[in-house]
PDB file of all heavy atoms in Angstrom:
ATOM      1  N   ILE A   1    -161.502  93.914  32.478  1.00 97.00           N
ATOM      2  CA  ILE A   1    -161.508  93.339  33.825  1.00 97.00           C
ATOM      3  C   ILE A   1    -162.204  94.275  34.798  1.00 97.00           C
ATOM      4  O   ILE A   1    -162.930  93.827  35.700  1.00 97.00           O
ATOM      5  CB  ILE A   1    -160.067  93.031  34.272  1.00 97.00           C
ATOM      6  CG1 ILE A   1    -159.507  91.848  33.459  1.00 97.00           C
ATOM      7  CG2 ILE A   1    -160.004  92.731  35.761  1.00 97.00           C
ATOM      8  CD1 ILE A   1    -158.042  91.592  33.676  1.00 97.00           C
ATOM      9  N   ALA A   2    -162.017  95.581  34.606  1.00 95.00           N
ATOM     10  CA  ALA A   2    -162.706  96.543  35.465  1.00 95.00           C
ATOM     11  C   ALA A   2    -164.223  96.440  35.295  1.00 95.00           C
ATOM     12  O   ALA A   2    -164.974  96.628  36.264  1.00 95.00           O
ATOM     13  CB  ALA A   2    -162.229  97.962  35.148  1.00 95.00           C
ATOM     14  N   GLN A   3    -164.667  96.121  34.079  1.00 94.00           N
ATOM     15  CA  GLN A   3    -166.096  95.953  33.823  1.00 94.00           C
ATOM     16  C   GLN A   3    -166.604  94.598  34.324  1.00 94.00           C
ATOM     17  O   GLN A   3    -167.741  94.486  34.780  1.00 94.00           O
ATOM     18  CB  GLN A   3    -166.374  96.063  32.323  1.00 94.00           C
ATOM     19  CG  GLN A   3    -166.006  97.385  31.687  1.00 94.00           C
ATOM     20  CD  GLN A   3    -166.949  98.508  32.067  1.00 94.00           C
ATOM     21  OE1 GLN A   3    -168.162  98.324  32.087  1.00 94.00           O
ATOM     22  NE2 GLN A   3    -166.410  99.666  32.383  1.00 94.00           N
ATOM     23  N   ALA A   4    -165.744  93.575  34.233  1.00 96.00           N
ATOM     24  CA  ALA A   4    -166.147  92.206  34.589  1.00 96.00           C
ATOM     25  C   ALA A   4    -164.985  91.514  35.289  1.00 96.00           C
ATOM     26  O   ALA A   4    -164.175  90.837  34.644  1.00 96.00           O
ATOM     27  CB  ALA A   4    -166.560  91.443  33.339  1.00 96.00           C
ATOM     28  N   PRO A   5    -164.859  91.671  36.602  1.00 97.00           N
ATOM     29  CA  PRO A   5    -163.722  91.078  37.335  1.00 97.00           C
ATOM     30  C   PRO A   5    -163.608  89.564  37.203  1.00 97.00           C
ATOM     31  O   PRO A   5    -162.529  89.007  37.437  1.00 97.00           O
ATOM     32  CB  PRO A   5    -164.003  91.492  38.787  1.00 97.00           C
ATOM     33  CG  PRO A   5    -164.856  92.715  38.686  1.00 97.00           C
ATOM     34  CD  PRO A   5    -165.709  92.503  37.469  1.00 97.00           C
ATOM     35  N   LEU A   6    -164.688  88.896  36.789  1.00 97.00           N
ATOM     36  CA  LEU A   6    -164.633  87.448  36.632  1.00 97.00           C
ATOM     37  C   LEU A   6    -163.600  87.034  35.576  1.00 97.00           C
ATOM     38  O   LEU A   6    -163.102  85.900  35.600  1.00 97.00           O
ATOM     39  CB  LEU A   6    -166.017  86.917  36.250  1.00 97.00           C
ATOM     40  CG  LEU A   6    -166.194  85.395  36.195  1.00 97.00           C
ATOM     41  CD1 LEU A   6    -165.834  84.742  37.529  1.00 97.00           C
ATOM     42  CD2 LEU A   6    -167.621  85.046  35.790  1.00 97.00           C
ATOM     43  N   ILE A   7    -163.247  87.951  34.690  1.00 98.00           N
ATOM     44  CA  ILE A   7    -162.216  87.653  33.690  1.00 98.00           C
ATOM     45  C   ILE A   7    -160.907  87.278  34.375  1.00 98.00           C
ATOM     46  O   ILE A   7    -160.162  86.411  33.888  1.00 98.00           O
ATOM     47  CB  ILE A   7    -162.022  88.853  32.742  1.00 98.00           C
ATOM     48  CG1 ILE A   7    -163.286  89.063  31.912  1.00 98.00           C
ATOM     49  CG2 ILE A   7    -160.811  88.652  31.826  1.00 98.00           C
ATOM     50  CD1 ILE A   7    -163.278  90.332  31.087  1.00 98.00           C
ATOM     51  N   LEU A   8    -160.617  87.900  35.511  1.00 98.00           N
ATOM     52  CA  LEU A   8    -159.399  87.550  36.254  1.00 98.00           C
ATOM     53  C   LEU A   8    -159.422  86.094  36.699  1.00 98.00           C
ATOM     54  O   LEU A   8    -158.392  85.406  36.667  1.00 98.00           O
ATOM     55  CB  LEU A   8    -159.240  88.460  37.473  1.00 98.00           C
ATOM     56  CG  LEU A   8    -158.421  89.734  37.303  1.00 98.00           C
ATOM     57  CD1 LEU A   8    -158.350  90.483  38.623  1.00 98.00           C
ATOM     58  CD2 LEU A   8    -157.018  89.423  36.786  1.00 98.00           C
ATOM     59  N   ASP A   9    -160.587  85.620  37.114  1.00 98.00           N
ATOM     60  CA  ASP A   9    -160.699  84.215  37.518  1.00 98.00           C
ATOM     61  C   ASP A   9    -160.423  83.287  36.344  1.00 98.00           C
ATOM     62  O   ASP A   9    -159.796  82.234  36.501  1.00 98.00           O
ATOM     63  CB  ASP A   9    -162.089  83.934  38.083  1.00 98.00           C
ATOM     64  CG  ASP A   9    -162.355  84.665  39.393  1.00 98.00           C
ATOM     65  OD1 ASP A   9    -161.377  85.073  40.048  1.00 98.00           O
ATOM     66  OD2 ASP A   9    -163.537  84.833  39.747  1.00 98.00           O
ATOM     67  N   VAL A  10    -160.905  83.672  35.167  1.00 98.00           N
ATOM     68  CA  VAL A  10    -160.648  82.865  33.977  1.00 98.00           C
ATOM     69  C   VAL A  10    -159.161  82.822  33.681  1.00 98.00           C
ATOM     70  O   VAL A  10    -158.589  81.752  33.424  1.00 98.00           O
ATOM     71  CB  VAL A  10    -161.426  83.424  32.770  1.00 98.00           C
ATOM     72  CG1 VAL A  10    -161.065  82.651  31.503  1.00 98.00           C
ATOM     73  CG2 VAL A  10    -162.926  83.364  33.022  1.00 98.00           C
ATOM     74  N   LEU A  11    -158.515  83.974  33.715  1.00 98.00           N
ATOM     75  CA  LEU A  11    -157.074  84.025  33.445  1.00 98.00           C
ATOM     76  C   LEU A  11    -156.299  83.197  34.468  1.00 98.00           C
ATOM     77  O   LEU A  11    -155.352  82.488  34.117  1.00 98.00           O
ATOM     78  CB  LEU A  11    -156.590  85.474  33.439  1.00 98.00           C
ATOM     79  CG  LEU A  11    -157.084  86.330  32.264  1.00 98.00           C
ATOM     80  CD1 LEU A  11    -156.735  87.792  32.491  1.00 98.00           C
ATOM     81  CD2 LEU A  11    -156.487  85.843  30.948  1.00 98.00           C
ATOM     82  N   ASP A  12    -156.701  83.279  35.730  1.00 98.00           N
ATOM     83  CA  ASP A  12    -156.031  82.481  36.769  1.00 98.00           C
ATOM     84  C   ASP A  12    -156.203  80.990  36.510  1.00 98.00           C
ATOM     85  O   ASP A  12    -155.280  80.194  36.748  1.00 98.00           O
ATOM     86  CB  ASP A  12    -156.587  82.829  38.151  1.00 98.00           C
ATOM     87  CG  ASP A  12    -156.126  84.200  38.642  1.00 98.00           C
ATOM     88  OD1 ASP A  12    -155.142  84.734  38.081  1.00 98.00           O
ATOM     89  OD2 ASP A  12    -156.751  84.736  39.573  1.00 98.00           O
ATOM     90  N   SER A  13    -157.364  80.602  35.999  1.00 98.00           N
ATOM     91  CA  SER A  13    -157.620  79.183  35.744  1.00 98.00           C
ATOM     92  C   SER A  13    -156.783  78.656  34.588  1.00 98.00           C
ATOM     93  O   SER A  13    -156.632  77.435  34.434  1.00 98.00           O
ATOM     94  CB  SER A  13    -159.104  78.955  35.454  1.00 98.00           C
ATOM     95  OG  SER A  13    -159.457  79.415  34.161  1.00 98.00           O
ATOM     96  N   LEU A  14    -156.244  79.565  33.776  1.00 98.00           N
ATOM     97  CA  LEU A  14    -155.461  79.175  32.607  1.00 98.00           C
ATOM     98  C   LEU A  14    -153.960  79.408  32.794  1.00 98.00           C
ATOM     99  O   LEU A  14    -153.197  79.333  31.830  1.00 98.00           O
ATOM    100  CB  LEU A  14    -155.941  79.974  31.380  1.00 98.00           C
ATOM    101  CG  LEU A  14    -157.371  79.690  30.905  1.00 98.00           C
ATOM    102  CD1 LEU A  14    -157.798  80.706  29.855  1.00 98.00           C
ATOM    103  CD2 LEU A  14    -157.501  78.276  30.360  1.00 98.00           C
ATOM    104  N   ASN A  15    -153.544  79.664  34.042  1.00 97.00           N
ATOM    105  CA  ASN A  15    -152.149  80.075  34.249  1.00 97.00           C
ATOM    106  C   ASN A  15    -151.147  78.938  34.120  1.00 97.00           C
ATOM    107  O   ASN A  15    -149.942  79.153  34.251  1.00 97.00           O
ATOM    108  CB  ASN A  15    -151.983  80.782  35.600  1.00 97.00           C
ATOM    109  CG  ASN A  15    -152.318  79.898  36.787  1.00 97.00           C
ATOM    110  OD1 ASN A  15    -152.466  78.683  36.643  1.00 97.00           O
ATOM    111  ND2 ASN A  15    -152.462  80.507  37.955  1.00 97.00           N
ATOM    112  N   ASP A  16    -151.620  77.726  33.830  1.00 98.00           N
ATOM    113  CA  ASP A  16    -150.680  76.630  33.604  1.00 98.00           C
ATOM    114  C   ASP A  16    -150.253  76.531  32.145  1.00 98.00           C
ATOM    115  O   ASP A  16    -149.409  75.714  31.786  1.00 98.00           O
ATOM    116  CB  ASP A  16    -151.300  75.299  34.042  1.00 98.00           C
ATOM    117  CG  ASP A  16    -152.553  74.949  33.251  1.00 98.00           C
ATOM    118  OD1 ASP A  16    -153.204  75.884  32.720  1.00 98.00           O
ATOM    119  OD2 ASP A  16    -152.885  73.758  33.154  1.00 98.00           O
ATOM    120  N   GLY A  17    -150.827  77.369  31.284  1.00 98.00           N
ATOM    121  CA  GLY A  17    -150.462  77.355  29.879  1.00 98.00           C
ATOM    122  C   GLY A  17    -149.179  78.123  29.618  1.00 98.00           C
ATOM    123  O   GLY A  17    -148.620  78.779  30.515  1.00 98.00           O
ATOM    124  N   LEU A  18    -148.710  78.062  28.385  1.00 98.00           N
ATOM    125  CA  LEU A  18    -147.534  78.844  27.997  1.00 98.00           C
ATOM    126  C   LEU A  18    -147.819  80.331  28.081  1.00 98.00           C
ATOM    127  O   LEU A  18    -146.917  81.147  28.321  1.00 98.00           O
ATOM    128  CB  LEU A  18    -147.114  78.483  26.571  1.00 98.00           C
ATOM    129  CG  LEU A  18    -146.651  77.052  26.331  1.00 98.00           C
ATOM    130  CD1 LEU A  18    -146.472  76.804  24.836  1.00 98.00           C
ATOM    131  CD2 LEU A  18    -145.352  76.773  27.074  1.00 98.00           C
ATOM    132  N   LEU A  19    -149.059  80.704  27.871  1.00 98.00           N
ATOM    133  CA  LEU A  19    -149.497  82.099  27.920  1.00 98.00           C
ATOM    134  C   LEU A  19    -150.994  82.098  28.124  1.00 98.00           C
ATOM    135  O   LEU A  19    -151.704  81.278  27.537  1.00 98.00           O
ATOM    136  CB  LEU A  19    -149.157  82.815  26.606  1.00 98.00           C
ATOM    137  CG  LEU A  19    -149.776  84.208  26.451  1.00 98.00           C
ATOM    138  CD1 LEU A  19    -148.829  85.256  27.024  1.00 98.00           C
ATOM    139  CD2 LEU A  19    -150.099  84.520  25.001  1.00 98.00           C
ATOM    140  N   ALA A  20    -151.491  82.998  28.946  1.00 98.00           N
ATOM    141  CA  ALA A  20    -152.931  83.199  29.107  1.00 98.00           C
ATOM    142  C   ALA A  20    -153.223  84.672  28.890  1.00 98.00           C
ATOM    143  O   ALA A  20    -152.535  85.537  29.451  1.00 98.00           O
ATOM    144  CB  ALA A  20    -153.404  82.755  30.489  1.00 98.00           C
ATOM    145  N   ALA A  21    -154.218  84.978  28.077  1.00 98.00           N
ATOM    146  CA  ALA A  21    -154.554  86.367  27.784  1.00 98.00           C
ATOM    147  C   ALA A  21    -156.007  86.436  27.348  1.00 98.00           C
ATOM    148  O   ALA A  21    -156.658  85.413  27.106  1.00 98.00           O
ATOM    149  CB  ALA A  21    -153.636  86.930  26.695  1.00 98.00           C
ATOM    150  N   MET A  22    -156.509  87.654  27.223  1.00 98.00           N
ATOM    151  CA  MET A  22    -157.881  87.887  26.788  1.00 98.00           C
ATOM    152  C   MET A  22    -157.878  88.199  25.305  1.00 98.00           C
ATOM    153  O   MET A  22    -156.964  88.853  24.798  1.00 98.00           O
ATOM    154  CB  MET A  22    -158.488  89.049  27.575  1.00 98.00           C
ATOM    155  CG  MET A  22    -159.980  89.243  27.374  1.00 98.00           C
ATOM    156  SD  MET A  22    -160.591  90.761  28.177  1.00 98.00           S
ATOM    157  CE  MET A  22    -160.065  92.008  26.985  1.00 98.00           C
ATOM    158  N   SER A  23    -158.914  87.784  24.597  1.00 98.00           N
ATOM    159  CA  SER A  23    -159.054  88.082  23.175  1.00 98.00           C
ATOM    160  C   SER A  23    -160.003  89.258  22.981  1.00 98.00           C
ATOM    161  O   SER A  23    -161.059  89.338  23.613  1.00 98.00           O
ATOM    162  CB  SER A  23    -159.599  86.864  22.426  1.00 98.00           C
ATOM    163  OG  SER A  23    -159.821  87.173  21.063  1.00 98.00           O
ATOM    164  N   GLY A  24    -159.632  90.153  22.089  1.00 96.00           N
ATOM    165  CA  GLY A  24    -160.508  91.266  21.741  1.00 96.00           C
ATOM    166  C   GLY A  24    -160.884  92.100  22.944  1.00 96.00           C
ATOM    167  O   GLY A  24    -160.058  92.409  23.803  1.00 96.00           O
ATOM    168  N   SER A  25    -162.165  92.436  23.015  1.00 95.00           N
ATOM    169  CA  SER A  25    -162.656  93.236  24.137  1.00 95.00           C
ATOM    170  C   SER A  25    -163.248  92.365  25.235  1.00 95.00           C
ATOM    171  O   SER A  25    -163.862  92.875  26.160  1.00 95.00           O
ATOM    172  CB  SER A  25    -163.725  94.226  23.636  1.00 95.00           C
ATOM    173  OG  SER A  25    -164.796  93.542  23.018  1.00 95.00           O
ATOM    174  N   GLY A  26    -163.061  91.021  25.142  1.00 91.00           N
ATOM    175  CA  GLY A  26    -163.508  90.110  26.186  1.00 91.00           C
ATOM    176  C   GLY A  26    -164.954  89.680  25.992  1.00 91.00           C
ATOM    177  O   GLY A  26    -165.652  90.152  25.108  1.00 91.00           O
ATOM    178  N   ALA A  27    -165.377  88.730  26.819  1.00 96.00           N
ATOM    179  CA  ALA A  27    -164.665  88.219  27.979  1.00 96.00           C
ATOM    180  C   ALA A  27    -163.942  86.900  27.709  1.00 96.00           C
ATOM    181  O   ALA A  27    -163.429  86.287  28.630  1.00 96.00           O
ATOM    182  CB  ALA A  27    -165.661  88.012  29.115  1.00 96.00           C
ATOM    183  N   THR A  28    -163.889  86.443  26.450  1.00 98.00           N
ATOM    184  CA  THR A  28    -163.222  85.187  26.158  1.00 98.00           C
ATOM    185  C   THR A  28    -161.720  85.321  26.347  1.00 98.00           C
ATOM    186  O   THR A  28    -161.097  86.286  25.871  1.00 98.00           O
ATOM    187  CB  THR A  28    -163.517  84.722  24.723  1.00 98.00           C
ATOM    188  OG1 THR A  28    -164.925  84.557  24.574  1.00 98.00           O
ATOM    189  CG2 THR A  28    -162.818  83.396  24.431  1.00 98.00           C
ATOM    190  N   CYS A  29    -161.135  84.346  27.036  1.00 98.00           N
ATOM    191  CA  CYS A  29    -159.691  84.287  27.228  1.00 98.00           C
ATOM    192  C   CYS A  29    -159.163  83.022  26.569  1.00 98.00           C
ATOM    193  O   CYS A  29    -159.905  82.080  26.305  1.00 98.00           O
ATOM    194  CB  CYS A  29    -159.341  84.287  28.718  1.00 98.00           C
ATOM    195  SG  CYS A  29    -159.896  85.776  29.589  1.00 98.00           S
ATOM    196  N   PHE A  30    -157.865  83.017  26.313  1.00 98.00           N
ATOM    197  CA  PHE A  30    -157.246  81.856  25.688  1.00 98.00           C
ATOM    198  C   PHE A  30    -155.942  81.536  26.401  1.00 98.00           C
ATOM    199  O   PHE A  30    -155.303  82.404  27.001  1.00 98.00           O
ATOM    200  CB  PHE A  30    -156.983  82.093  24.197  1.00 98.00           C
ATOM    201  CG  PHE A  30    -155.989  83.198  23.915  1.00 98.00           C
ATOM    202  CD1 PHE A  30    -154.636  82.933  23.809  1.00 98.00           C
ATOM    203  CD2 PHE A  30    -156.415  84.514  23.757  1.00 98.00           C
ATOM    204  CE1 PHE A  30    -153.719  83.941  23.543  1.00 98.00           C
ATOM    205  CE2 PHE A  30    -155.514  85.545  23.508  1.00 98.00           C
ATOM    206  CZ  PHE A  30    -154.159  85.255  23.399  1.00 98.00           C
ATOM    207  N   ALA A  31    -155.572  80.266  26.325  1.00 98.00           N
ATOM    208  CA  ALA A  31    -154.256  79.836  26.796  1.00 98.00           C
ATOM    209  C   ALA A  31    -153.650  78.940  25.732  1.00 98.00           C
ATOM    210  O   ALA A  31    -154.368  78.173  25.075  1.00 98.00           O
ATOM    211  CB  ALA A  31    -154.355  79.095  28.124  1.00 98.00           C
ATOM    212  N   LEU A  32    -152.333  79.042  25.558  1.00 98.00           N
ATOM    213  CA  LEU A  32    -151.618  78.247  24.568  1.00 98.00           C
ATOM    214  C   LEU A  32    -150.967  77.046  25.237  1.00 98.00           C
ATOM    215  O   LEU A  32    -150.435  77.156  26.344  1.00 98.00           O
ATOM    216  CB  LEU A  32    -150.550  79.098  23.877  1.00 98.00           C
ATOM    217  CG  LEU A  32    -151.007  80.415  23.244  1.00 98.00           C
ATOM    218  CD1 LEU A  32    -149.850  81.072  22.493  1.00 98.00           C
ATOM    219  CD2 LEU A  32    -152.198  80.201  22.321  1.00 98.00           C
ATOM    220  N   TYR A  33    -150.996  75.917  24.539  1.00 98.00           N
ATOM    221  CA  TYR A  33    -150.417  74.672  25.056  1.00 98.00           C
ATOM    222  C   TYR A  33    -149.548  74.026  23.977  1.00 98.00           C
ATOM    223  O   TYR A  33    -149.670  74.347  22.789  1.00 98.00           O
ATOM    224  CB  TYR A  33    -151.521  73.720  25.521  1.00 98.00           C
ATOM    225  CG  TYR A  33    -152.267  74.248  26.722  1.00 98.00           C
ATOM    226  CD1 TYR A  33    -153.413  75.032  26.558  1.00 98.00           C
ATOM    227  CD2 TYR A  33    -151.817  73.997  28.007  1.00 98.00           C
ATOM    228  CE1 TYR A  33    -154.082  75.551  27.659  1.00 98.00           C
ATOM    229  CE2 TYR A  33    -152.484  74.511  29.115  1.00 98.00           C
ATOM    230  CZ  TYR A  33    -153.606  75.282  28.936  1.00 98.00           C
ATOM    231  OH  TYR A  33    -154.277  75.800  30.028  1.00 98.00           O
ATOM    232  N   THR A  34    -148.698  73.118  24.395  1.00 97.00           N
ATOM    233  CA  THR A  34    -147.726  72.531  23.480  1.00 97.00           C
ATOM    234  C   THR A  34    -148.292  71.385  22.650  1.00 97.00           C
ATOM    235  O   THR A  34    -147.677  70.988  21.664  1.00 97.00           O
ATOM    236  CB  THR A  34    -146.495  72.029  24.258  1.00 97.00           C
ATOM    237  OG1 THR A  34    -146.932  71.097  25.259  1.00 97.00           O
ATOM    238  CG2 THR A  34    -145.757  73.183  24.918  1.00 97.00           C
ATOM    239  N   SER A  35    -149.446  70.848  23.028  1.00 98.00           N
ATOM    240  CA  SER A  35    -149.992  69.716  22.288  1.00 98.00           C
ATOM    241  C   SER A  35    -151.510  69.711  22.367  1.00 98.00           C
ATOM    242  O   SER A  35    -152.114  70.308  23.272  1.00 98.00           O
ATOM    243  CB  SER A  35    -149.453  68.399  22.838  1.00 98.00           C
ATOM    244  OG  SER A  35    -149.994  68.136  24.126  1.00 98.00           O
ATOM    245  N   SER A  36    -152.114  68.989  21.417  1.00 98.00           N
ATOM    246  CA  SER A  36    -153.560  68.835  21.420  1.00 98.00           C
ATOM    247  C   SER A  36    -154.027  68.086  22.658  1.00 98.00           C
ATOM    248  O   SER A  36    -155.053  68.430  23.262  1.00 98.00           O
ATOM    249  CB  SER A  36    -153.993  68.090  20.152  1.00 98.00           C
ATOM    250  OG  SER A  36    -155.362  67.807  20.180  1.00 98.00           O
ATOM    251  N   ALA A  37    -153.283  67.052  23.057  1.00 98.00           N
ATOM    252  CA  ALA A  37    -153.666  66.262  24.233  1.00 98.00           C
ATOM    253  C   ALA A  37    -153.674  67.130  25.483  1.00 98.00           C
ATOM    254  O   ALA A  37    -154.579  67.011  26.327  1.00 98.00           O
ATOM    255  CB  ALA A  37    -152.710  65.086  24.401  1.00 98.00           C
ATOM    256  N   GLU A  38    -152.694  68.002  25.614  1.00 98.00           N
ATOM    257  CA  GLU A  38    -152.623  68.875  26.789  1.00 98.00           C
ATOM    258  C   GLU A  38    -153.802  69.848  26.800  1.00 98.00           C
ATOM    259  O   GLU A  38    -154.420  70.088  27.852  1.00 98.00           O
ATOM    260  CB  GLU A  38    -151.289  69.630  26.776  1.00 98.00           C
ATOM    261  CG  GLU A  38    -150.996  70.391  28.059  1.00 98.00           C
ATOM    262  CD  GLU A  38    -149.638  71.077  28.041  1.00 98.00           C
ATOM    263  OE1 GLU A  38    -148.982  71.082  26.979  1.00 98.00           O
ATOM    264  OE2 GLU A  38    -149.238  71.602  29.095  1.00 98.00           O
ATOM    265  N   ALA A  39    -154.126  70.401  25.644  1.00 98.00           N
ATOM    266  CA  ALA A  39    -155.249  71.341  25.568  1.00 98.00           C
ATOM    267  C   ALA A  39    -156.574  70.640  25.868  1.00 98.00           C
ATOM    268  O   ALA A  39    -157.424  71.180  26.591  1.00 98.00           O
ATOM    269  CB  ALA A  39    -155.281  71.995  24.193  1.00 98.00           C
ATOM    270  N   ARG A  40    -156.768  69.447  25.325  1.00 98.00           N
ATOM    271  CA  ARG A  40    -158.012  68.719  25.568  1.00 98.00           C
ATOM    272  C   ARG A  40    -158.146  68.339  27.043  1.00 98.00           C
ATOM    273  O   ARG A  40    -159.248  68.412  27.616  1.00 98.00           O
ATOM    274  CB  ARG A  40    -158.076  67.471  24.688  1.00 98.00           C
ATOM    275  CG  ARG A  40    -158.251  67.751  23.207  1.00 98.00           C
ATOM    276  CD  ARG A  40    -158.740  66.500  22.466  1.00 98.00           C
ATOM    277  NE  ARG A  40    -157.861  65.362  22.723  1.00 98.00           N
ATOM    278  CZ  ARG A  40    -156.829  65.017  21.978  1.00 98.00           C
ATOM    279  NH1 ARG A  40    -156.504  65.755  20.934  1.00 98.00           N
ATOM    280  NH2 ARG A  40    -156.107  63.942  22.261  1.00 98.00           N
ATOM    281  N   ALA A  41    -157.043  67.935  27.668  1.00 98.00           N
ATOM    282  CA  ALA A  41    -157.091  67.580  29.087  1.00 98.00           C
ATOM    283  C   ALA A  41    -157.442  68.801  29.935  1.00 98.00           C
ATOM    284  O   ALA A  41    -158.236  68.702  30.885  1.00 98.00           O
ATOM    285  CB  ALA A  41    -155.755  66.989  29.523  1.00 98.00           C
ATOM    286  N   LYS A  42    -156.867  69.937  29.596  1.00 98.00           N
ATOM    287  CA  LYS A  42    -157.179  71.167  30.331  1.00 98.00           C
ATOM    288  C   LYS A  42    -158.657  71.519  30.164  1.00 98.00           C
ATOM    289  O   LYS A  42    -159.334  71.906  31.132  1.00 98.00           O
ATOM    290  CB  LYS A  42    -156.300  72.319  29.829  1.00 98.00           C
ATOM    291  CG  LYS A  42    -156.568  73.644  30.518  1.00 98.00           C
ATOM    292  CD  LYS A  42    -156.241  73.568  32.002  1.00 98.00           C
ATOM    293  CE  LYS A  42    -156.452  74.907  32.682  1.00 98.00           C
ATOM    294  NZ  LYS A  42    -156.088  74.861  34.122  1.00 98.00           N
ATOM    295  N   ALA A  43    -159.165  71.395  28.941  1.00 98.00           N
ATOM    296  CA  ALA A  43    -160.572  71.712  28.697  1.00 98.00           C
ATOM    297  C   ALA A  43    -161.489  70.799  29.503  1.00 98.00           C
ATOM    298  O   ALA A  43    -162.487  71.248  30.073  1.00 98.00           O
ATOM    299  CB  ALA A  43    -160.876  71.604  27.204  1.00 98.00           C
ATOM    300  N   ARG A  44    -161.156  69.518  29.565  1.00 98.00           N
ATOM    301  CA  ARG A  44    -161.980  68.587  30.349  1.00 98.00           C
ATOM    302  C   ARG A  44    -161.999  68.982  31.823  1.00 98.00           C
ATOM    303  O   ARG A  44    -163.049  68.940  32.479  1.00 98.00           O
ATOM    304  CB  ARG A  44    -161.456  67.158  30.191  1.00 98.00           C
ATOM    305  CG  ARG A  44    -161.777  66.515  28.852  1.00 98.00           C
ATOM    306  CD  ARG A  44    -161.544  65.010  28.900  1.00 98.00           C
ATOM    307  NE  ARG A  44    -160.141  64.695  29.186  1.00 98.00           N
ATOM    308  CZ  ARG A  44    -159.207  64.504  28.257  1.00 98.00           C
ATOM    309  NH1 ARG A  44    -159.522  64.617  26.974  1.00 98.00           N
ATOM    310  NH2 ARG A  44    -157.969  64.190  28.599  1.00 98.00           N
ATOM    311  N   ASP A  45    -160.846  69.369  32.349  1.00 98.00           N
ATOM    312  CA  ASP A  45    -160.781  69.779  33.757  1.00 98.00           C
ATOM    313  C   ASP A  45    -161.655  71.008  34.009  1.00 98.00           C
ATOM    314  O   ASP A  45    -162.389  71.073  35.010  1.00 98.00           O
ATOM    315  CB  ASP A  45    -159.339  70.073  34.160  1.00 98.00           C
ATOM    316  CG  ASP A  45    -158.474  68.816  34.234  1.00 98.00           C
ATOM    317  OD1 ASP A  45    -159.048  67.706  34.268  1.00 98.00           O
ATOM    318  OD2 ASP A  45    -157.232  68.950  34.238  1.00 98.00           O
TER     319      ASP A  45
END
């Protein structure tokens, strides 16, 4: 995040999931959801 503060924006955009975190050394982040429909709807948004 210190190298790329935009990662914080990504994490904030995923804060409706069960968990939001960064994978590896970044910048990809992930969020966990309870169903496929919920994940697909979030992705569309």
Side-chain angles (χ1 to χ4, degrees):
I1 290 172
Q3 299 287 317
L6 187 57
I7 294 172
L8 268 181
D9 294 340
V10 175
L11 291 170
D12 287 343
S13 74
L14 294 170
N15 62 12
D16 62 336
L18 296 172
L19 170 90
M22 189 187 79
S23 176
S25 58
T28 301
C29 299
F30 64 90
L32 306 185
Y33 293 91
T34 57
S35 70
S36 174
E38 190 177 8
R40 291 198 306 268
K42 179 64 178 182
R44 285 194 298 269
D45 290 344

